[in-house]
């Protein structure tokens, strides 16, 4: 088996872990994901000129937030609803429990995004004064590594809560639907296909602002490797945790 693929025998129709364990895994992965997302954003913002970039979905949504004058909370929430509708179309039926699960995920995730953004930008100086601008090659190199770490955190978190499959962010639900309905468990290919909506978002944002922000080296790294990281994490991070209660509709 390739590192970024999961065989049919590893995908479960039911559940083998308790609800308390599912919630614990979910909370851990939610914190890791939101922190990783914001880490890619703030490290990109502290390098001038900005060429580092952030994770692919995050970059597109941040651009759209600028274009429409929204904060990150509302941007992530509104676009999440749109992707939830797309997922229902791909699965072939509307599920209120699935849509509610997407909403349940989005609210604390969007809130944590805002909290981590404020923290990393130094708005809680008693705890952390924020990342200073990168003014030396050493600091730039350090921020690049932090940016890549943020991408790895996102990929790892996606692996954990996709396997738990308690509630998912709509974008990760989209990737999982594509992965197991159309791409035979291949995480990398499914991730690339799931990047079509944020690409359209970025084009719309560019049409409004005439500029791309938060796209760069880190975005390319995320595009190339985030799906593979998710596939590897499936076998390396909590390896006994299998995909639970998968529902992607009929092939």
């Amino acid at each position: 088996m390739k590192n970024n693929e999961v065989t049919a025998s590893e995908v479960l129709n039911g559940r083998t872990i308790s609800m308390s364990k599912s919630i614990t895994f979910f909370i851990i992965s939610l914190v890791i994901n939101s922190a990783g997302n914001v880490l890619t954003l703030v490290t990109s913002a502290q390098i001038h000129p900005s060429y580092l970039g952030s994770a692919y979905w995050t970059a597109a949504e941040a651009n759209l937030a600028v274009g429409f004058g929204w904060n990150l909370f509302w941007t992530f929430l509104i676009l999440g609803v749109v992707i939830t509708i797309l997922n229902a179309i791909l699965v072939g039926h509307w599920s209120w429990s699935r849509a509610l699960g997407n909403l349940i995920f989005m609210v604390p995730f969007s809130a944590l995004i805002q909290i981590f953004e404020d923290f990393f930008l130094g708005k809680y100086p008693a705890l952390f004064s924020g990342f200073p601008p990168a003014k030396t090659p050493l600091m730039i190199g350090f921020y690049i590594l932090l940016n890549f770490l943020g991408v790895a955190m996102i990929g790892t978190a996606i692996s954990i809560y996709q396997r738990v499959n308690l509630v998912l962010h709509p974008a990760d639900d989209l990737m999982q639907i594509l992965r197991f309905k159309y791409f035979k468990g291949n995480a990398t290919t499914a991730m690339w296909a799931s990047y079509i909506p944020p690409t359209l978002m970025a084009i719309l944002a560019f049409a409004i602002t005439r500029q791309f922000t938060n796209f760069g080296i880190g975005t390319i790294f995320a595009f190339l490797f985030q799906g593979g990281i998710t596939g590897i994490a499936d076998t390396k991070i909590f390896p006994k945790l299998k995909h639970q209660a998968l529902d992607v509709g009929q092939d």
Side-chain angles (χ1 to χ4, degrees):
M1 182 187 69
K2 296 180 180 179
N3 280 335
N4 63 349
E5 292 183 355
V6 173
T7 63
S9 63
E10 294 177 287
V11 177
L12 305 174
N13 292 324
R15 292 192 175 276
T16 59
I17 59 175
S18 66
M19 182 57 65
S20 61
K21 286 185 178 180
S22 296
I23 293 173
T24 300
F25 279 128
F26 171 70
I27 292 173
I28 292 171
S29 59
L30 188 67
V31 172
I32 293 173
N33 194 1
S34 54
N37 267 287
V38 177
L39 195 59
T40 64
L41 283 172
V42 296
T43 52
S44 175
Q46 297 305 321
I47 295 179
H48 303 286
S50 181
Y51 57 81
L52 184 52
S54 60
Y56 202 84
W57 274 91
T58 310
E61 290 171 315
N63 273 269
L64 208 58
V66 173
F68 284 97
W70 298 336
N71 65 25
L72 287 178
F73 175 86
W74 287 110
T75 304
F76 277 65
L77 192 60
I78 292 170
L79 294 177
V81 172
V82 174
I83 301 302
T84 296
I85 296 171
L86 173 61
N87 292 342
I89 294 172
L90 291 175
V91 171
H93 62 86
W94 178 262
S95 169
W96 282 109
S97 61
R98 190 175 202 142
L100 181 60
N102 289 161
L103 181 62
I104 290 172
F105 186 104
M106 285 188 294
V107 173
F109 175 68
S110 300
L112 280 171
I113 286 287
Q114 198 67 55
I115 290 171
F116 276 114
E117 182 187 37
D118 291 342
F119 176 77
F120 286 137
L121 290 179
K123 294 185 179 180
Y124 306 112
L127 298 175
F128 180 62
S129 59
F131 288 106
K135 297 181 178 180
T136 66
L138 182 62
M139 188 173 291
I140 290 173
F142 177 63
Y143 280 7
I144 290 174
L145 290 177
L146 281 181
N147 189 280
F148 289 178
L149 173 63
V151 172
M153 290 169 65
I154 297 168
T156 300
I158 290 172
S159 166
I160 297 170
Y161 59 64
Q162 278 188 342
R163 281 179 285 160
V164 172
N165 201 27
L166 189 60
V167 293
L168 295 174
H169 187 281
D172 302 319
D173 200 7
L174 171 63
M175 182 264 192
Q176 180 156 268
I177 292 167
L178 293 170
R179 180 180 183 183
F180 291 108
K181 187 172 184 179
Y182 300 105
F183 297 112
K184 299 180 180 180
N186 189 292
T188 299
T189 307
M191 186 70 76
W192 287 339
S194 73
Y195 284 152
I196 295 174
T199 299
L200 297 177
M201 294 176 199
I203 293 172
L204 176 59
F206 179 77
I208 296 171
T209 65
R210 298 297 177 183
Q211 63 181 5
F212 278 127
T213 58
N214 294 307
F215 280 90
I217 298 172
T219 315
I220 296 172
F221 179 84
F223 182 87
L224 293 175
F225 299 113
Q226 186 172 305
I229 291 170
T230 297
I232 292 171
D234 283 349
T235 62
K236 302 299 182 183
I237 307 299
F238 306 124
K240 293 183 179 180
L241 176 62
K242 305 303 179 183
H243 287 79
Q244 308 281 308
L246 190 68
D247 175 20
V248 297
Q250 298 298 317
D251 292 337

